[in-house]
Amino acid sequence: MIRRDTEFKRTVLVVDDEDVNRALLGAIIEQKYNVLYAKNGKEALEQIKQNADSLSLVLLDILMPEMDGYEVLGEINKDSKLKKIPVVVLTSEKSAEVKSLELGAADFLSKPYNLPEVILARVQRSIQLFEGNKIIQATENDALTNLYTPEFFFEYGHQYDKRHPSHEMDSIVIDFSRFHILNELHGRETGDEVLIKIADGIREIFNENFGIACRHDADTFYLYTKHRAEYTSVIEKITAKLISILKSQEIRIRMGVYFDKTHEIPFESRFDRALQACNSLRNKHGSAVAIYDEERHQKEMFGARLLEDFDTAIHEKQFKVYFQPKYNITGDTPLLSSSEALIRWIHPELGFIRPDLFIPLFEENGLVQKLDRYVWKEAAEQIKKWRDKYGITKPVSVNVSRVDISDPDMTDYICKIIEENEISSHDYLLEITESAYTDNSQQIIDIVNNLRDKGFRIEMDDFGSGYSSLNMLTTLPIDALKLDKGFINNIAHGNKEMRMVELILEIAEFLKVPVIAEGVETREQLELLKVAKCDVIQGYYFSKPLPPEEFNALIEKDIEVRKELKAKEKEKEQKRR
Ligand code: C2E
Ligand code: CA
Ligand code: CA
C-alpha cells in the first residue's frame, strides 16, 4: 500500500485561552493531524483566514477573553468560504452546546475531556462529514493492481493539494503501448501480470519519494508525486519488474510528465497535459519519456489556433496544392514522369505553414479527411487543366492519411472525382505511408486491392521509416516503393546507409516493384541511386514543390526534352537502316 498516513495529514486548529488545555488537546490530535494553535478569538480568526484552504477543522473554546467563541462563530458565518470549515466547540456548559450548534458548529466536545480515542474519533467524524464522505465512499482500490481507483485518486489529489499548496508535484501518465497486442499474443493472464508488475514498480518509486497512483484505463496509470529531476530511472524501475515476463523489445512504456510548481491549473488539467506529452510519443518505439514544457504548451496553443481557423481556411481557399515533380532516371536523360500533390497553408496572419505542422494535428481529430478530399479534388482538376493546356496527361500522386482509410466512402469519392475530370484511374496515384500498413494491415490490404482492381496505382510512402519487415513486401499489393527521405540524407559511396538502400533496391527488383527515392538534393546522391538502379527520383535536386503555374514550366521543358529525344532516336534509327 502507498504511504499515506505519514504524508497526507490534515490540519486542525486548536483555539483555547488556557495553555494547559491547548497542550492537552494538541498532544492527542498531533498523532494524526497537523496542529495549529490560537490562544484567543482574534488570533483564531486570523489563522482561519490565512489557512482557509488547508484547514480541515477548528476546535474552538467558547469562553475566552477579548473575543469569545460565539463571536468567532458569527464572523465565520459571514464568510461563505470560511463557513465551510467545520467547527467543533469546546465547552463545559450544556446551554452553550445548543447555542453553538445554532450558530453553525458541527459538533461539541465537553470538558473535562474524554478519552483521547473518543476525541480523535469525533474529530475524524466531523472532518469526514465536512469532506462529504467523498474519500470514504469512493472505492479505494483497483482490484487487479491494488493501486487506487481513479475516483479515489482524484479526490485524494484534490485534498492533498489543499493541504500542501506549496509542494512541488509532478503529474505523470504512464502507458504501456500496444498492450492489446500483448494480450492477444500472450493471453490475458500475462497481460494482467504485466499490469501488476507495473504497479509494483510504481510502488517502489514511491518508497523513495511520496506519491499516489491509480490505474486510469486498462493500461494507463496516473501518478501524482513529489517533483523529481529525472525520469529515466522511473522507467528503468518499471522495466526491471517486467523483464521477468517479457522480452526487452516487447516492453514499451511511454511516460508523459507535467511539472507543476504553483498548482496554477486544475488538478485534472495537469493530467490532460501529462497525457498529451505521453501521446506525443505514440509513434516512437521502445520506451520513452516526454515532458510537457513551455515549448509543448506553445505548440499546443498554435495547434488550437490552427484547429479554430480550419473552416475559414477551407472556405477562403487558404490551402494551396503544390506539386513536386518525380523524374524517371532509368534512361540517359531524366524524364518528368509524374508529380506529388503536397498541401500548403497560406495563412493570412501566420503566413506559410508547413504541412507537418498541421497534418498530424488534423489526423488526430479527423479534419484531415476533409482536407485530403479537398487536395484530391484539386489534384484531379489540375490533371485535367494540364491535359487541356498541353494535350498530355501527367499523372499525379496524392497522399492518403491512415485516417482516410477507415472512411468507407473513400474509394467512391476518389472514383467520383476522377470521373468528373475524365481522368483514367491509371493516372491517379495514391501514396499510403508504410506505417499505415503495419497498423491495420488486413483492412488496408482489402481496400488497396479494391483500388488496384479499379486501376489505381498505389505507392508505399516513407518506406523504411516504419517497421514492416522486408518479408511483408512480398504479400503487400503495391505498385511502387517510396524510399524514406531519411535514408537518402546520409548515403555516401560504400557506407551503411547506401548498402541498405542497395539491399532494398535489389529486393524491389526481385519483386518487380519500381522504387522512388525521395529527398534527393545533390548530384552525388542522384548518381549513387542511378548506379544502384533506382527508377524514379523526387527531391530538391530537381525541384521543390511548386504552385501549378510554376510547374507549367517543368512540363513545357519536358515536352521539349522528349521531342529532342525522339528526334535523336529517329536519327539513330535512320542511320542504322
Ligand atoms: P511526404 O508525403 O513524405 O512528402 C514528402 C516531403 O518531402 C514533402 O514535405 C516535400 O516537400 C519534402 N521534400 C521533397 N524533396 C525534398 C528534399 O530534397 N529535401 C528535403 N529536406 N525535403 C524534401 P512537405 O510538403 O513539407 O510535406 C510533409 C508531409 O506532410 C508529407 O510527407 C506528408 O506526409 C504530409 N502531407 C503533405 N501534403 C499532404 C496532403 O495533402 N495530405 C496528407 N494526408 N498529408 C500530406
Ligand atoms: Ca507522400
Ligand atoms: Ca514520403
Side-chain angles (χ1 to χ4, degrees):
M1 201 53 231
I2 289 162
R3 285 157 60 200
R4 194 164 8 142
D5 298 340
T6 50
E7 289 286 345
F8 185 44
K9 272 189 174 171
R10 294 171 171 82
T11 306
V12 173
L13 173 66
V14 173
V15 190
D16 202 309
D17 59 316
E18 280 178 52
D19 296 345
V20 184
N21 279 346
R22 279 202 311 278
L24 191 70
L25 263 185
I28 296 169
I29 292 173
E30 259 175 2
Q31 301 170 32
K32 290 218 164 166
Y33 300 91
N34 293 321
V35 186
L36 302 174
Y37 297 94
K39 55 179 182 296
N40 59 48
K42 234 167 130 192
E43 257 188 49
L45 261 184
E46 270 163 29
Q47 290 264 31
I48 293 169
K49 279 178 189 158
Q50 251 175 43
N51 302 293
D53 284 332
S54 58
L55 264 184
S56 286
L57 187 78
V58 179
L59 293 175
L60 180 66
D61 186 24
I62 287 295
L63 289 179
M64 290 184 296
E66 240 178 289
M67 190 188 217
D68 69 12
Y70 296 133
E71 267 179 89
V72 174
L73 273 173
E75 287 298 310
I76 290 178
N77 267 335
K78 282 186 204 157
D79 185 315
S80 62
K81 193 172 174 193
L82 303 185
K83 215 170 139 177
K84 294 206 180 99
I85 304 169
V87 178
V88 172
V89 161
L90 313 169
T91 177
S92 47
E93 291 172 46
K94 271 271 171 270
S95 62
E97 286 167 6
V98 179
K99 188 167 174 197
S100 23
L101 288 177
E102 276 169 7
L103 277 168
D107 198 357
F108 51 85
L109 281 174
S110 27
K111 294 180 185 175
Y113 295 125
N114 274 315
L115 291 169
E117 293 78 36
V118 176
I119 292 175
L120 274 175
R122 290 186 79 165
V123 164
Q124 189 185 353
R125 200 182 65 103
S126 295
I127 291 176
Q128 284 175 356
L129 284 171
F130 154 63
E131 285 172 2
N133 275 343
K134 277 186 253 170
I135 281 203
I136 299 113
Q137 278 171 2
T139 322
E140 275 196 35
N141 294 104
D142 170 50
L144 181 69
T145 60
N146 207 28
L147 294 174
Y148 292 137
T149 59
E151 298 76 29
F152 189 84
F153 174 81
F154 279 104
E155 188 50 40
Y156 193 163
H158 275 284
Q159 305 280 352
Y160 184 86
D161 274 3
K162 264 196 203 164
R163 282 161 185 83
H164 306 286
S166 60
H167 286 188
E168 296 189 346
M169 303 296 286
D170 291 326
S171 307
I172 302 176
V173 172
I174 290 179
D175 166 302
F176 193 100
S177 55
R178 295 174 176 259
F179 183 73
H180 60 285
I181 292 178
L182 204 79
N183 258 340
E184 261 171 52
L185 229 61
H186 297 289
R188 267 199 83 96
E189 260 171 44
T190 308
D192 283 354
E193 209 181 320
V194 166
L195 297 175
I196 291 168
K197 295 269 190 224
I198 294 177
D200 286 346
I202 291 172
R203 272 185 282 265
E204 217 164 86
I205 298 156
F206 293 161
N207 284 339
E208 332 162 335
N209 210 353
F210 166 75
I212 56 171
C214 73
R215 184 157 72 110
H216 195 262
D217 305 305
D219 53 352
T220 311
F221 298 83
Y222 282 22
L223 283 61
Y224 194 53
T225 164
K226 285 252 176 80
H227 176 60
R228 59 175 71 221
E230 57 82 36
Y231 289 92
T232 27
S233 66
V234 173
I235 284 204
E236 276 164 14
K237 274 242 158 68
I238 298 172
T239 306
K241 293 272 168 207
L242 294 174
I243 208 83
S244 61
I245 33 177
L246 295 178
K247 293 199 196 90
S248 64
Q249 65 268 29
E250 286 178 312
I251 302 172
R252 300 164 195 271
I253 296 163
R254 294 182 307 200
M255 189 168 151
V257 182
Y258 177 68
F259 169 39
D260 170 52
K261 235 183 170 137
T262 51
H263 302 211
E264 233 162 59
I265 64 167
F267 190 72
E268 283 81 358
S269 311
R270 291 176 228 155
F271 285 90
D272 289 344
R273 290 188 173 182
L275 184 63
Q276 291 231 355
C278 186
N279 284 343
S280 73
L281 298 167
R282 195 168 278 159
N283 293 322
K284 291 242 166 66
H285 293 264
S287 299
V289 182
I291 313 280
Y292 188 101
D293 49 15
E294 190 47 33
E295 194 187 325
R296 198 174 291 278
H297 183 63
Q298 288 305 331
K299 212 173 139 195
E300 207 187 308
M301 299 299 282
F302 182 70
R305 169 84 193 270
L306 297 186
L307 286 174
E308 203 176 289
D309 293 350
F310 178 80
D311 282 332
T312 318
I314 286 273
H315 190 71
E316 293 179 354
K317 294 209 160 215
Q318 293 169 12
F319 290 109
K320 299 275 182 254
V321 181
Y322 279 39
F323 297 85
Q324 187 178 33
K326 297 178 187 173
Y327 282 89
N328 188 312
I329 56 158
T330 49
D332 291 336
T333 320
L335 295 171
L336 177 65
S337 59
S338 65
S339 67
E340 176 177 5
L342 292 158
I343 187 88
R344 271 91 187 87
W345 187 346
I346 322 287
H347 193 287
E349 283 155 35
L350 303 173
F352 187 96
I353 309 175
R354 291 197 332 256
D356 43 333
L357 291 179
F358 57 83
I359 293 286
L361 181 74
F362 293 167
E363 277 180 331
E364 259 171 47
N365 43 41
L367 286 180
V368 75
Q369 281 192 35
K370 197 165 174 186
L371 188 63
D372 276 344
R373 286 189 173 207
Y374 174 84
V375 177
W376 298 344
K377 190 156 179 272
E378 291 277 311
E381 284 169 4
Q382 191 58 52
I383 298 176
K384 180 167 191 287
K385 278 185 201 156
W386 279 327
R387 190 185 56 208
D388 291 349
K389 190 173 165 89
Y390 298 111
I392 52 165
T393 300
K394 279 292 164 199
V396 170
S397 64
V398 296
N399 288 286
V400 177
S401 155
R402 71 188 73 222
V403 181
D404 297 318
I405 291 160
S406 52
D407 168 15
D409 298 331
M410 178 181 86
T411 306
D412 285 350
Y413 181 80
I414 295 175
C415 288
K416 195 187 91 188
I417 53 173
I418 67 155
E419 238 165 66
E420 279 170 5
N421 292 285
E422 297 158 331
I423 304 165
S424 148
S425 57
H426 193 69
D427 296 323
Y428 201 81
L429 291 79
L430 303 167
E431 296 192 7
I432 303 178
T433 172
E434 177 195 15
S435 52
Y437 279 89
T438 36
D439 274 3
N440 42 12
S441 35
Q442 198 46 52
Q443 187 193 16
I444 203 162
I445 288 172
D446 293 344
I447 290 166
V448 165
N449 274 330
N450 183 26
L451 282 163
R452 291 181 86 220
D453 286 345
K454 291 187 165 29
F456 293 99
R457 286 183 287 166
I458 311 295
E459 298 184 341
M460 187 191 267
D461 206 354
D462 307 329
F463 183 78
S465 67
Y467 285 73
S468 66
S469 63
L470 287 174
N471 178 37
M472 213 169 111
L473 278 183
T474 56
T475 52
L476 288 178
I478 49 163
D479 299 280
L481 264 185
K482 290 191 82 174
L483 265 182
D484 190 55
K485 280 196 293 293
F487 278 116
I488 310 303
N489 266 342
N490 302 315
I491 54 171
H493 186 74
N495 75 354
K496 219 171 69 194
E497 284 80 5
M498 190 59 215
R499 190 62 207 124
M500 189 71 193
V501 169
E502 283 163 353
L503 228 117
I504 295 171
L505 285 164
E506 278 162 32
I507 294 168
E509 190 185 12
F510 173 75
L511 296 171
K512 299 196 170 57
V513 178
V515 174
I516 302 159
E518 245 184 325
V520 176
E521 295 183 354
T522 64
R523 172 105 223 153
E524 292 72 57
Q525 290 169 339
L526 174 89
E527 292 301 337
L528 283 167
L529 290 162
K530 198 177 158 108
V531 171
K533 293 214 192 100
C534 180
D535 306 272
V536 177
I537 295 277
Q538 177 183 350
Y540 295 170
Y541 175 73
F542 284 116
S543 167
K544 293 200 163 172
L546 300 170
E549 317 81 68
E550 289 177 40
F551 195 91
N552 287 349
L554 300 183
I555 299 184
E556 285 159 20
K557 179 153 182 248
D558 188 66
I559 292 174
E560 284 308 308
V561 168
R562 284 175 193 259
K563 244 190 220 154
E564 275 168 32
L565 263 182
K566 228 181 206 157
K568 267 189 204 154
E569 248 160 51
K570 222 175 194 175
E571 226 173 86
K572 256 195 227 159
E573 188 81 350
Q574 273 166 351
K575 268 187 194 157
R576 228 180 286 152
R577 279 184 191 164

